[in-house]
Amino acid sequence: MNILITGAQGQVGKELTAITKSRGYNVIATGRNELDISKTEDINKFFKQYKPDIVINVAAYTAVDKAEEENEIAYLINRDGAKNIAIACASISIPLFHISTDYVFDGTKTEPYNEEDSVSPLGIYGDSKWQGEEAIRKNLSDAMIIRVAWVFGAQGNNFVKTMLRLANERDELNVVADQFGGPSPAKDIAETLINL
């Protein structure tokens, strides 16, 4: 089985690549340099050459605050890239697993969100991810969208690593206290995707 992983250089992508390879799958791990998901012709050429059986899309523009200024690139990757992959998967009848985010919600609910809750993104990042979800649903029936929050892992930059570093450097930490979330270990996300 050929598993195409987009966004393989990110926190989840690195874990996913390691786990799939350790389980004996033929893995095609791509970063932006190998496959630009914003370009339909690149995806079509890539699919024709590598013939994936399943696609796991963890490629994303994830700079939440910067997305407000860089909205074109956020939509290009998170909406258009997701759509391009969904269309390519539909053209050869293969499933897509796609990572999205809790930022599709506005955060006002006083209990945990579930997949049936109405979305109401507050910023460009959340909206671009929501539009990506909608593009997938519109173009591919065989897709699973998984929403994650506060991803952290051994690789890359994340809140947990920042707090650990600062705890070693300072006697006291000042952290915003107006957000609640459920941190998602990159390795657990990867394991879940493979199990699904």
Side-chain angles (χ1 to χ4, degrees):
M1 175 179 297
N2 293 327
I3 300 177
L4 170 59
I5 300 170
T6 62
Q9 298 305 311
Q11 293 182 96
V12 175
K14 286 180 179 178
E15 295 286 356
L16 196 51
T17 300
I19 292 167
T20 50
K21 284 182 178 180
S22 74
R23 293 194 184 178
Y25 293 107
N26 183 34
V27 179
I28 310 150
T30 64
R32 189 176 322 146
N33 293 335
E34 295 84 21
L35 178 60
D36 184 344
I37 64 170
S38 71
K39 296 181 178 172
T40 306
E41 61 277 2
D42 287 4
I43 292 173
N44 293 336
K45 199 182 310 180
F46 200 90
F47 273 44
K48 191 175 275 190
Q49 180 179 354
Y50 291 100
K51 298 176 179 39
D53 298 302
I54 293 175
V55 177
I56 304 175
N57 180 37
V58 294
Y61 179 96
T62 59
V64 176
D65 294 332
K66 282 177 74 176
E68 296 302 315
E69 300 163 15
E70 298 180 349
N71 56 22
E72 287 182 22
I73 192 164
Y75 283 109
L76 186 67
I77 297 168
N78 295 340
R79 178 194 60 207
D80 301 343
K83 177 182 177 182
N84 294 341
I85 291 171
I87 290 170
C89 287
S91 74
I92 57 173
S93 300
I94 63 170
L96 169 64
F97 292 83
H98 175 78
I99 295 290
S100 190
T101 177
D102 64 326
Y103 276 85
V104 300
F105 302 116
D106 62 14
T108 59
K109 190 174 176 185
T110 57
E111 55 194 46
Y113 283 94
N114 65 56
E115 59 275 6
E116 302 301 323
D117 288 328
S118 297
V119 300
S120 181
L122 297 177
I124 298 297
Y125 170 69
D127 188 60
S128 68
K129 292 297 284 181
W130 170 246
Q131 288 192 34
E133 287 185 20
E134 288 290 273
I136 290 169
R137 287 185 196 94
K138 182 179 176 185
N139 290 287
L140 179 65
S141 60
D142 195 8
M144 183 172 287
I145 298 168
I146 297 108
R147 293 181 181 141
V148 300
W150 296 17
V151 177
F152 72 94
Q155 309 285 329
N157 296 319
N158 57 65
F159 182 77
V160 173
K161 285 175 71 177
T162 299
M163 290 298 102
L164 290 172
R165 179 181 51 79
L166 291 175
N168 284 326
E169 297 172 359
R170 301 178 185 173
D171 293 330
E172 186 176 309
L173 296 177
N174 294 313
V175 181
V176 297
D178 63 347
Q179 294 183 17
F180 295 90
S184 303
K187 189 171 184 177
D188 289 356
I189 297 168
E191 289 275 1
T192 300
L193 284 165
I194 295 304
N195 291 337
L196 289 169

